[in-house]
Amino acid sequence: MGDARPMTATARAGGNGATSRPHGRGLDLVARRSLLSDVAEVGFRLAPGDRPLVAAGDAIVAGTTIAERVRDPHLVDVPAAAADPDARSGDRWSSVGRPLARVRRGNETEIGELIYEHGGRWRLAVGEHLEPIDCPVAGVVREIRPGIGIRVRAEGRALPGVEALGDPTNGRLSLGSDRGDIRYGRLRSTSLDVGLAGTILVIGSRVDAEALTRARAMGVRGVVVSGLAGKERRDFLASEARQRASLHRLPPFAVLILDGVIRRPIAGPIAAVLEALAGSTVAISVDPPALVFDAPKVRVDPPPAEHVRVRSGEHAGEEGRWAGLAGIRRFAGGTFLEAGWVVFGDDPPRPVPLADLERFV
Amino acid sequence: MTSDPRAFLAVDQGAATTSAALIGRLAHRWRVIGSLATPAPGDVDAIGTELVRRVHAADPDLADGLGLTIAGAPAGIAELASDLPRLVARSAPARTLLAMAVSDRALEPLATAARKTGWRTRGASLDGRDPLQLTAAILDRDVDVILVGAGDPPGADERRQLDELGAVVAGAVARRPELTVILAGAMADQLARIEPGGAERGGEILLGPPATAGDPPGDPLQRLLDDVRGGPDDPRRAAGRITAALADVLDRRIELIEIGFDGGLRATASPGVEGGEGTSQVSIVADAALVPPDPDDVTVDRVLAWATISLDRHRLRDRLRELRLWPWSGIAGDGARLRLAAARAALGVLIDATPDQSALPAPDLVVIAGGAFAAAPGPAVALALADVVRRPAAVAIAQDHARLLGALGVIPDPIERRQALADLVDDVLAPLGSVVIPAGIRAGASAGRLTIHAGTGASDSDLVPGGLELVDLPPGEVATAEFAFRDSVRLGARGRRFAVDVAGGLGGLLVDLRDVPLRLPDRPERRRELLDAWQESLWVTRDR
């Protein structure tokens, strides 16, 4: 990209050798990215057999157990006569007060979820081992669909990411030990201690699976990071699966990925939001992947309209000021791409492929 | 639209790219004035404004001739652009279909039909699976449509469990009224169970033919699945129409190959003979996307096999995941070559999924489309096609550089569509050149001689087995290539002497004397070197 030059000859402007005169036109062609959304609706997946504990319309506070997950779901049969005549798939069923309820397989089944009726018998999803599903945000239960999911309309605002791994969680937002490193920092496992228990840590650009595992063991509730490499992602998911399988689970833990896979610093406008939220209680939602917070007093000023960020490519992570369209230009590797002029700091404008740019709205 | 528009915008809103082309009427025919593409979701108004501005900057008289007269810039340009009539093609979002049957044997044709019609396909059968797993699979919110099928009459292995499968589906579907359900073959008998009287549903319940019915087998079910997947303005759904129109306009056998963000498309069409109807066949394969949503080891291996940059598996997977997240970013540098490696891998998936179309006679013209090829130089695109589609034939290759075929395909009236295409075909298709691939060449110092008779004279060269011969033949030029092989080879037919008419293009004439099918070294370094050597001369603008 350093040797970018125009595809066609253009008039030189001024005496600085610039190939065309930068201007502010064309900003609308730069991809937009939402910094914050006003409404956050958080989803929780349910599997057949899981037990919702709330009803649509219920107002809940952060930390409310909204459902119980059945860890060992399996099917058992009961005679159709043991269910209500108008029973439907998804209804809860209990053997209490039903003398006809004789379970064909399994022992002492008392409660379950009707799955389907076949051959004069209902099949039930039941299980003995339950674990709670807690809602990390305050809000109103909007929808409950047995076997499918629960949706909660959360109070507050959401800062969207591209992916979240783990389980929804909440905690006090901490910028880590080195506040000056919020955008570029790296979390090392040796820098973690129990003093960070209960926090959601903002890591700049890099974290490895070992640090994530140790963070969870130390009681950290979540991590916000710009990018997570595929290997670390795979190792973390494997660790998470082992954790789910264990009998004594640790509190929920989540990783919110803001940008993607490759290493890049947290975007300046996002870092400003996170700095403003430091010390506040926030939540990480997995569906959709977002940082949810209810902090009306926290004021977030949007960046200037012409503020752009290089999302990828040679200058990934750099931010600057839009200075207009540069037309089709030749970039490294022999590619010809639509480009825009961007002013980085006090440097002269540089052409950057339009597709590598984003702006926050 | 006004009664007599002299310009309009043809817009293609794809999954990864929003593109628009400004079409103007000049000298009593439609011409492409300019085009621009941005990452999706792009601002079509902004694209239109920039296109109009460029026309004004380049040729004010042309702008006036197209009725693009500005009242007052720059607000006038934006207003002018927003008032332009638009022809819009919108790609249907990628959707997931769950195919279900009693047995794995019965499931296979259902899943195949779905895979060929652009669905992200999952499969589930009662064979060795807990009904609870089947229920969970149906209740997964990522599933948009379920296709439940059985033979008609059902096979011996199906009859016993059809009722239970119907009960499982009925139980789960009752919880998801928004789900579209297709009951194919004998599963239609379960309709009363799945749709009890008075039940309120948002999704449709459709009855379809058995998966193996029709000629060719599965065709009627594929048509139904295609109808369900795409809307009327989905360009992939219109691919058969536009390819048939192209075959009709050019009077040649056409193959349209597209690799996009959410899938690949292969459409073949032949012109009608003696006033008869032409024929076309379309396959849309979701697995042939540039990068699947979650690239697995198989995908990484496929791309690694074509990569010319040195990356270990982890880094390549990261680059692919990044490409999936931000499909247009990071193109500069080695990004374009990585995209082309991923495009080759996806093209391989597409070709493997459509053996019936590979068995058809070779087309006269292959049209390349889709964002996967957009950033690469034309000659490199032609080589990518030759690398993967190893058909012993001589074919011309062109590229839909302005992404117009999709938009033209959604014109509902066939006569208007044909007329628009007849006007625009020379502007729509950028000629990349011709590729000649003889098969059965034996190793040795020389395979024979090639003589090119072009308007500028004749040239003669030696044919080296295993090599690539690049002959400069500019766009618009037509030549005759005379091959005199030392041994008998296959080039359409078997023989030693062939005379082939070839068309020029950005890449000229590529005579590909490599193996059919292509054999690459197993050692990664050696393979990379070889691929790089083949591509070196075609990335003519690469840094040195």
Side-chain angles (χ1 to χ4, degrees):
Chain A
M1 220 187 292
D3 68 342
R5 46 193 182 272
M7 189 176 73
T8 52
T10 51
R12 287 177 178 268
N16 61 358
T19 49
S20 64
R21 187 183 183 83
H23 49 79
R25 194 186 64 239
L27 185 59
D28 289 344
L29 294 173
V30 177
R32 289 186 298 179
R33 176 172 172 180
S34 290
L35 181 60
L36 293 176
S37 61
D38 287 336
V39 179
E41 193 166 290
V42 181
F44 301 84
R45 290 208 174 206
L46 296 180
D50 292 347
R51 302 172 186 176
L53 301 177
V54 290
D58 283 359
I60 57 174
V61 298
T64 302
T65 300
I66 57 173
E68 288 176 325
R69 176 166 291 133
V70 178
R71 295 183 55 159
D72 54 344
H74 57 277
L75 288 177
V76 297
D77 292 359
V78 293
D84 295 334
D86 57 350
R88 299 178 56 184
S89 171
D91 289 351
R92 301 303 300 175
W93 181 93
S94 169
S95 59
V96 175
R98 298 182 192 275
L100 287 175
R102 214 159 48 108
V103 175
R104 186 186 288 171
R105 289 201 297 264
N107 297 320
E108 298 175 6
T109 301
E110 291 182 340
I111 194 165
E113 180 181 319
L114 297 175
I115 300 297
Y116 65 94
E117 185 184 11
H118 176 57
R121 303 187 73 84
W122 270 103
R123 306 204 80 184
L124 289 177
V126 298
E128 293 172 15
H129 300 101
L130 306 174
E131 64 185 26
I133 299 175
D134 296 338
C135 178
V137 295
V140 176
V141 179
R142 200 179 67 77
E143 181 186 67
I144 295 177
R145 303 182 73 183
I148 300 173
I150 295 176
R151 298 200 72 80
V152 175
R153 191 185 186 90
E155 293 171 358
R157 290 171 284 178
L159 188 157
V162 296
E163 188 179 23
L165 310 173
D167 294 317
T169 185
N170 61 4
R172 183 172 44 83
L173 193 73
S174 169
L175 303 184
S177 55
D178 183 359
R179 284 170 183 257
D181 208 22
I182 175 176
R183 292 186 60 208
Y184 293 87
R186 172 182 182 175
L187 178 65
R188 296 175 192 279
S189 57
T190 50
S191 63
L192 291 162
D193 57 53
V194 290
L196 294 169
T199 62
I200 288 180
L201 277 178
V202 178
I203 310 301
S205 60
R206 195 171 180 183
V207 66
D208 57 40
E210 184 189 352
L212 291 175
T213 307
R214 185 174 164 90
R216 182 171 48 193
M218 291 290 175
V220 172
R221 292 300 191 89
V223 162
V224 178
V225 67
S226 173
L228 187 66
K231 179 180 177 301
E232 314 305 338
R233 179 180 183 275
R234 186 195 62 192
D235 291 350
F236 170 73
L237 289 176
S239 167
E240 187 70 9
R242 286 194 297 274
Q243 181 58 230
R244 281 177 199 273
S246 66
L247 283 177
H248 302 288
R249 294 199 64 199
L250 293 171
F253 180 84
V255 180
L256 177 65
I257 304 162
L258 295 171
D259 277 315
V261 182
I262 64 168
R263 184 179 184 183
R264 48 165 87 82
I266 291 178
I270 293 178
V273 174
L274 296 173
E275 282 173 353
L277 288 171
S280 308
T281 298
V282 299
I284 293 178
S285 154
V286 174
D287 175 22
L291 189 80
V292 182
F293 57 94
D294 184 18
K297 289 182 181 172
V298 171
R299 189 178 155 191
V300 177
D301 293 323
E306 67 276 15
H307 182 89
V308 292
R309 177 183 186 233
V310 185
R311 185 164 51 197
S312 49
E314 188 182 346
H315 299 287
E318 289 189 40
E319 296 178 27
R321 182 171 55 82
W322 174 257
L325 284 171
I328 295 179
R329 302 186 80 82
R330 181 181 183 277
F331 289 90
T335 49
F336 293 88
L337 302 167
E338 287 283 347
W341 294 108
V342 180
V343 178
F344 297 101
D346 296 329
D347 293 343
R350 272 189 282 172
V352 179
L354 269 187
D356 281 343
L357 293 173
E358 65 181 4
R359 62 194 167 102
F360 289 90
V361 293
Chain B
M1 263 190 169
T2 63
S3 57
D4 184 22
R6 280 178 284 169
F8 68 93
L9 283 177
V11 180
D12 188 335
Q13 295 182 318
T17 308
T18 301
S19 69
L22 179 62
I23 311 293
R25 193 148 185 88
L26 296 169
H28 307 293
R29 58 175 286 211
W30 292 109
R31 300 295 304 269
V32 178
I33 308 299
S35 67
L36 187 59
T38 64
D43 184 336
V44 177
D45 286 336
I47 296 174
T49 302
E50 181 58 21
L51 284 171
V52 174
R53 190 201 64 75
R54 288 182 182 183
V55 176
H56 270 278
D59 190 342
D61 292 340
L62 172 67
D64 287 343
L66 296 173
L68 302 174
T69 307
I70 300 173
I77 291 183
E79 195 175 325
L80 202 60
S82 66
D83 287 345
L84 280 174
R86 293 178 187 183
L87 175 65
V88 181
R90 285 185 191 84
S91 293
R95 299 171 75 199
T96 300
L97 178 143
L98 174 66
M100 302 181 76
V102 165
S103 64
D104 288 344
R105 184 195 63 79
L107 177 64
E108 186 52 37
L110 294 169
T112 301
R115 284 195 194 99
K116 281 193 170 185
T117 44
W119 293 92
R120 285 183 188 158
T121 307
R122 301 177 184 178
S125 77
L126 278 174
D127 263 354
R129 286 189 78 167
D130 185 349
L132 189 59
Q133 289 177 295
L134 262 60
T135 300
I138 300 171
L139 295 182
D140 188 332
R141 279 179 302 181
D142 294 338
V143 172
D144 303 292
V145 172
I146 62 168
L147 167 64
V148 199
D152 194 10
D157 58 339
E158 293 178 301
R159 283 185 211 115
R160 193 167 49 86
Q161 288 186 294
L162 269 187
D163 256 10
E164 181 164 16
L165 180 62
V168 171
V169 171
V173 165
R175 303 193 201 187
R176 294 195 62 192
E178 77 281 8
L179 200 63
T180 297
V181 182
I182 303 170
L183 302 173
M187 277 308 294
D189 298 343
Q190 303 288 328
L191 177 64
R193 186 199 290 267
I194 291 168
E195 188 183 42
E200 290 185 9
R201 288 191 54 81
E204 291 179 294
I205 295 185
L206 304 167
L207 303 182
T212 52
D215 184 24
D219 186 58
L221 181 61
Q222 286 182 32
R223 287 175 191 273
L224 175 64
L225 292 173
D226 192 41
D227 283 347
V228 175
R229 188 193 62 81
D233 54 358
D234 177 35
R236 286 201 177 123
R237 199 169 164 224
R241 293 201 297 260
I242 196 64
T243 312
L246 202 53
D248 187 31
V249 167
L250 298 176
D251 195 25
R252 301 169 85 183
R253 284 195 301 270
I254 306 290
E255 182 163 289
L256 172 63
I257 288 179
E258 184 217 343
I259 299 295
F261 183 69
D262 275 332
L265 170 123
R266 189 180 193 188
T268 46
S270 299
V273 180
E274 295 179 353
E277 283 283 304
T279 59
S280 66
Q281 188 176 350
V282 181
S283 298
I284 305 167
V285 181
D287 292 341
L290 179 62
V291 180
D294 193 8
D296 56 10
D297 286 343
V298 176
T299 303
V300 172
D301 284 340
R302 280 197 197 112
V303 179
L304 205 54
W306 291 112
T308 55
I309 49 180
S310 178
L311 287 174
D312 61 39
R313 296 175 59 82
H314 294 305
R315 286 175 60 212
L316 179 62
R317 192 194 304 271
D318 286 353
R319 293 283 296 268
L320 293 178
R321 289 182 67 86
E322 191 78 12
L323 189 55
R324 179 71 199 181
L325 276 171
W326 314 110
W328 268 102
S329 54
I331 295 176
D334 59 10
R337 282 192 283 164
L338 178 67
R339 283 164 70 94
L340 206 51
R344 280 183 169 89
L347 194 52
V349 174
L350 181 67
I351 299 303
D352 288 348
T354 51
D356 45 343
Q357 284 171 277
S358 297
L360 295 172
D364 302 308
L365 172 67
V366 176
V367 179
I368 295 285
F373 302 104
V381 173
L383 178 63
L385 184 77
D387 281 346
V388 182
V389 187
R390 304 296 294 164
R391 195 161 29 199
V395 295
I397 302 174
Q399 188 170 18
D400 176 19
H401 65 103
R403 298 157 190 266
L404 261 169
L405 288 179
L408 296 176
V410 300
I411 297 174
D413 183 71
I415 297 172
E416 277 187 25
R417 189 189 316 133
R418 189 190 182 287
Q419 184 57 51
L421 191 60
D423 280 359
L424 290 165
V425 68
D426 290 338
D427 296 341
V428 168
L429 300 181
L432 301 186
S434 297
V435 174
V436 180
I437 306 178
I441 291 181
R442 293 182 186 172
S446 171
R449 303 289 299 172
L450 166 65
T451 307
I452 303 288
H453 299 280
T456 52
S459 64
D460 198 49
S461 57
D462 197 31
L463 295 171
V464 181
L468 282 170
E469 182 79 24
L470 191 61
V471 180
D472 188 27
L473 199 61
E477 190 158 346
V478 178
T480 301
E482 281 186 12
F483 293 89
F485 292 101
R486 201 180 55 186
D487 302 304
S488 176
V489 300
R490 275 186 300 125
L491 186 59
R494 181 166 280 281
R496 291 173 59 189
R497 291 184 173 276
F498 298 88
V500 183
D501 287 335
V502 290
L506 298 172
L509 168 65
L510 185 67
V511 180
D512 185 343
L513 302 172
R514 300 173 298 172
D515 298 327
V516 178
L518 191 62
R519 280 196 288 263
L520 293 171
D522 291 333
R523 285 181 55 201
E525 303 82 16
R526 177 76 189 104
R527 187 175 59 234
R528 271 199 305 272
E529 284 172 13
L530 191 60
L531 289 170
D532 204 31
W534 286 335
Q535 295 179 26
E536 176 72 23
S537 59
L538 301 176
W539 288 74
V540 287
T541 52
R542 67 186 291 185
D543 299 334
R544 294 173 191 276

